Amino acid sequence: MTASGAHSILPALSAAEAAHSHAARALIIRELQAAGGWLSFERFMELALYAPGLGYYSAGSVKIGAAGDFVTAPEVSALFGRCVAAQCAELLRETGGDILEVGAGTGVLAATILACLDATDALPERYAILEVSADLADRQRQRLQNLPAALRQRVVWLERLPGSLRGVILANEVLDALPFQRFVIRAGAARELGVALDEGRLTWCEGTSEPGAAADLRLAGLLRSLQWQLPERYAFEVCWRLTPWIAGMAGCLERGALLLCDYGLPRPHYYHPQRLQGTLRCHFKHRAHEDPFINVGVQDITAWVDFTRVAEAAVAVGLEVSGFATQAAFLLGTGIERMVAEVRQALPRAQVAGEARRLLMPGEMGEAFKVMALTRGVQAALRGFAYQDLRASL
């Protein structure tokens, strides 16, 4: 989709949104000018999403759900949370301890999991939430305030990762929002794409300086790992931050599992030569487009996850890749068909079946989203990965 095409499908900003976007854009322009007129896209994305008070995730707009910009699987149906709870129950029976949810959205997944685990006598000692968005943390508190007191008392919000944790760490649609770098192939070499000003407009601009030796070697290693040479003008993303993020999670996981759910691909598919424009996507009012330089501060910016990089990072810090499957296969393994069949009345069952189709079908969320389990000290086979094992594709 071209930038002009993106503009034509998007709703107009409200006066408040326009003022907020203007302020966020001004902040970025000041930093860009202070840096000499060129800013890495990674830094641009960090400011656009996380600048205090101005970034998309740091401000007060509604982000998730019908009134927001996108919908996540826990918002589509409670079936998703019930399936995740089934996997958590299996793990907690072996490890005991806590659940830590990183980036808990509106709190709907936490509420569903706690209710399910309470019903099966498999509650964690506590349900901890680590949330970078003050706005979303407030929404989580409001939602979870409606839980029974015995469940509500188990929920805590953390400001940083705990020093040690047994149990389960959950991250649903977190990795796709980590800031990333963008590159383009020119004359057989990768050039970094950054951000510059052109007649007052933010735009893509290739870097003019040579990358540092460490960065150059790291990128060269990535390109060598592919089985082909990328074509001229091929644009692609690299999220180096995946590696330290996984290392941070592993550093606090004494025993248990890190469950990741996100849209992404193994590296051979992620960097396929036919994927000429990469995977960068922006989300505004339930429209997806590819122009990160409009609606700055009031739209989401993401890229698909290179799950091979996730697996490499996990193995490097002593975690085992215990499962990798499509979301559809994971949900089938954790009992979604049985959950639908348990609804006896015709109209509610039709509604639940429709929700299940959205979670399962290849054209919806079933194939694009993947689930990966990274474990330490877990012996049991995980039921969510009984139907499918895609680890060989990594």
Side-chain angles (χ1 to χ4, degrees):
M1 180 184 297
T2 64
S4 60
H7 296 195
S8 68
I9 67 168
L10 298 178
L13 298 181
S14 68
E17 289 169 336
H20 183 96
S21 183
H22 178 79
R25 184 176 177 277
L27 171 70
I28 290 170
I29 289 175
R30 287 195 297 271
E31 180 155 332
L32 186 155
Q33 292 172 333
W38 187 91
L39 203 62
S40 74
F41 184 76
E42 182 179 35
R43 179 58 178 161
F44 165 85
M45 183 175 172
E46 184 174 42
L47 292 170
L49 295 186
Y50 302 108
L54 290 175
Y56 178 74
Y57 283 106
S58 302
S61 64
V62 175
K63 300 161 184 67
I64 305 172
D69 300 305
F70 55 90
V71 175
T72 63
E75 300 283 338
V76 168
S77 176
L79 292 168
F80 181 85
R82 292 174 64 190
C83 289
V84 173
Q87 185 62 86
C88 288
E90 180 182 56
L91 285 160
L92 290 171
R93 289 189 186 100
E94 181 174 347
T95 66
D98 303 335
I99 293 176
L100 167 63
E101 187 177 357
V102 182
T106 64
V108 65
L109 180 60
T112 303
I113 289 174
L114 282 165
C116 290
L117 295 182
D118 184 36
T120 56
D121 196 26
L123 281 169
E125 294 173 17
R126 66 174 187 168
Y127 195 108
I129 294 174
L130 183 63
E131 179 59 67
V132 300
S133 169
D135 165 58
L136 287 175
D138 286 342
R139 294 185 69 187
Q140 293 155 15
R141 288 186 174 92
Q142 292 171 17
R143 182 181 292 271
L144 297 177
Q145 189 65 29
N146 297 322
L147 290 173
L151 299 183
R152 191 169 64 244
Q153 291 166 4
R154 294 177 187 258
V155 183
V156 296
W157 279 263
L158 307 179
E159 295 184 355
R160 61 186 63 85
L161 285 171
S164 179
L165 180 140
R166 284 182 302 107
V168 184
I169 303 175
L170 301 174
N172 179 57
E173 292 199 51
V174 172
L175 299 183
D176 63 273
L178 293 178
F180 51 82
Q181 285 181 278
R182 203 156 196 247
F183 299 90
V184 64
I185 299 297
R186 297 289 188 199
R191 304 279 296 181
E192 184 174 0
L193 283 171
V195 184
L197 278 175
D198 180 14
E199 297 182 351
R201 297 180 61 183
L202 294 168
T203 188
W204 294 108
C205 180
E206 292 180 26
T208 56
S209 60
E210 293 298 318
D216 194 39
L217 288 172
R218 187 168 55 173
L219 183 59
L222 168 64
L223 296 178
R224 279 198 308 271
S225 73
L226 306 177
Q227 300 295 308
W228 48 76
Q229 184 173 348
L230 296 176
E232 185 72 5
R233 300 179 66 185
Y234 181 96
F236 62 99
E237 299 80 37
V238 183
C239 184
W240 305 115
R241 297 192 188 201
L242 282 173
T243 299
W245 192 92
I246 293 294
M249 297 298 145
C252 76
L253 185 62
E254 174 188 337
R255 184 184 178 207
L258 170 57
L259 286 179
L260 306 169
C261 183
D262 228 312
Y263 43 93
L265 295 162
R267 185 171 296 156
H269 299 280
Y270 193 96
Y271 295 110
H272 194 280
Q274 293 181 349
R275 199 178 298 280
L276 293 173
Q277 294 302 313
T279 67
L280 184 153
R281 296 293 182 274
C282 304
H283 300 273
F284 180 71
K285 306 298 184 188
H286 300 279
R287 273 81 162 182
H289 65 94
E290 298 168 8
D291 188 350
F293 305 128
I294 61 173
N295 300 344
V296 177
V298 296
Q299 70 177 7
D300 196 15
I301 306 171
T302 71
W304 286 37
V305 176
D306 173 2
F307 274 104
T308 301
R309 180 171 300 282
V310 175
E312 290 171 345
V315 172
V317 290
L319 297 181
E320 180 180 354
V321 182
S322 295
F324 180 50
T326 63
Q327 176 177 291
F330 176 83
L331 297 179
L332 290 169
T334 47
I336 191 171
E337 289 181 303
R338 173 185 53 78
M339 296 172 191
V340 174
E342 287 173 348
V343 181
R344 299 301 182 187
Q345 294 183 324
L347 286 178
R349 185 173 183 178
Q351 178 180 341
V352 171
E355 295 171 358
R357 281 194 294 272
R358 187 169 178 188
L359 294 173
L360 294 170
M361 293 299 290
E364 296 281 353
M365 305 177 79
E367 295 291 332
F369 282 79
K370 309 296 190 299
V371 183
M372 178 175 276
L374 308 174
T375 62
R376 173 174 285 142
V378 172
Q379 303 302 318
L382 303 183
R383 61 182 294 189
F385 305 92
Y387 274 49
Q388 186 182 62
D389 184 355
L390 295 180
R391 287 176 292 179
S393 69
L394 296 166

